Amino acid sequence: MPALPRSFAAVALLAASQIACAHPRPTTPEEARMVRLEVVDRDTGAALPQYRHRREAWVAGEDDQPYTLRLTNIMGARVLVVLSVDGVNVVTGESADPAQSGYVLAPYASAEIDGWRKSMQEVAAFRFSAAADSYAARTGRPFDLGVIGAAVFREAAVVEPWPIPTPPIARAERSAPSAQAAETVADAAAGAPAPASPLGTAHGERRWSPSARTTFERASRQADELIALRHDRHEALVARGVIRFERQPWLAREPRAFPGGFMPDP
């Protein structure tokens, strides 16, 4: 495979389709074959570890932790990625559906999506937050907190490579969302019972994040790949059994009445 260049995605503008189709059920980022999805701590630049549990993938976040979503195209052709956070399209702010606008990745390119798009120049940063402070809850949609989704589409026609310095966006299809399509990414959040106050994503500070527009014709109305990645606080993932209890070194053995040795300084 060629080396993965560091570049950005474009926002594509798509033609209308009058037929809505069912989409495959989400897979985990580890199993994805078209696009690699990672959550990156914006302060450290490190990707958060992903934990596999009951056919789902999880990351542990903290309140007010800033993050970005790193998308890497592992295909030799352009792809469209419709991206959602907490059930909300990160480009348009609509309740997410695979038929909507998304980012276009060049072959083998990587892009970091660092917020809710406010214009072609700015985004509102992604920050983990309490449920009540999440963007989805504050806009009356608190039902799908804690899940990140990506619907990936192949392109219908081969396009000559084009240099682009900013992430282009693809326009939505104009067909009405179907009940089947609406179930896709949100289905990933239906596994384990949700905690009383799940971890959501807030509408953070404005950040300079220029983008451009491009065109993209989907090869199919049905997504070729759906990816879902769930998140919650570390202690909640321990309680769910996603992360095993981490024993302290002094708890690694049974206590002994006479461990031996002389009296050390404290």
Side-chain angles (χ1 to χ4, degrees):
M1 178 185 296
L4 299 177
R6 176 63 182 274
S7 67
F8 290 99
V11 184
L13 308 173
L14 299 188
S17 172
Q18 299 302 318
I19 302 175
C21 299
H23 292 266
R25 292 187 64 83
T27 187
T28 65
E30 181 184 28
E31 297 168 330
R33 295 294 178 262
M34 297 178 67
V35 169
R36 185 181 305 136
L37 170 63
E38 299 172 287
V39 179
V40 177
D41 185 317
R42 203 174 73 222
D43 288 339
T44 66
L48 300 184
Q50 296 186 14
Y51 303 92
R52 185 72 180 269
H53 181 67
R54 295 180 179 175
R55 300 174 63 184
E56 294 180 322
W58 295 78
V59 294
E62 301 176 3
D63 288 83
D64 204 40
Q65 179 182 8
Y67 73 88
T68 65
L69 297 176
R70 181 184 294 155
L71 302 174
T72 303
N73 181 4
I74 54 180
M75 302 279 291
R78 293 202 311 170
V79 295
L80 167 68
V81 183
V82 181
L83 194 60
S84 75
V85 171
D86 292 347
V88 178
N89 186 308
V90 303
V91 173
T92 67
E94 301 170 277
S95 294
D97 186 279
Q100 294 166 351
S101 300
Y103 288 102
V104 176
L105 292 170
Y108 304 115
S110 178
E112 294 203 1
I113 312 302
D114 52 2
W116 310 97
R117 184 146 296 280
K118 305 301 295 181
S119 70
M120 299 306 292
Q121 291 77 39
E122 289 187 321
V123 297
F126 292 139
R127 284 183 177 273
F128 288 128
S129 70
D133 296 326
S134 68
Y135 176 71
R138 293 178 65 186
T139 54
R141 297 167 291 180
F143 313 109
D144 300 300
L145 299 184
V147 61
I148 297 164
V152 186
F153 292 84
R154 300 177 190 271
E155 191 165 18
V158 175
V159 178
E160 291 298 321
W162 39 266
I164 185 158
T166 55
I169 301 172
R171 178 182 294 165
E173 296 183 354
R174 298 191 184 94
S175 56
S178 68
Q180 289 175 314
E183 292 174 356
T184 52
V185 172
D187 281 348
S197 179
L199 191 67
T201 296
H203 183 279
E205 71 280 4
R206 293 292 185 100
R207 290 177 57 83
W208 175 251
S209 182
S211 185
R213 297 182 186 273
T214 189
T215 57
F216 187 100
E217 182 182 353
R218 306 180 200 218
S220 170
R221 298 185 185 96
Q222 176 174 318
D224 294 286
E225 185 169 76
L226 280 177
I227 307 167
L229 178 60
R230 300 185 65 183
H231 57 78
D232 210 335
R233 299 173 183 84
H234 183 275
E235 59 269 23
L237 297 190
V238 172
R240 288 178 183 267
V242 176
I243 299 176
R244 294 186 178 182
F245 178 70
E246 300 169 355
R247 302 186 73 185
Q248 299 298 326
W250 55 83
L251 298 178
R253 62 172 178 79
E254 293 298 321
R256 293 174 292 182
F258 299 96
F262 293 99
M263 183 67 67
D265 293 332

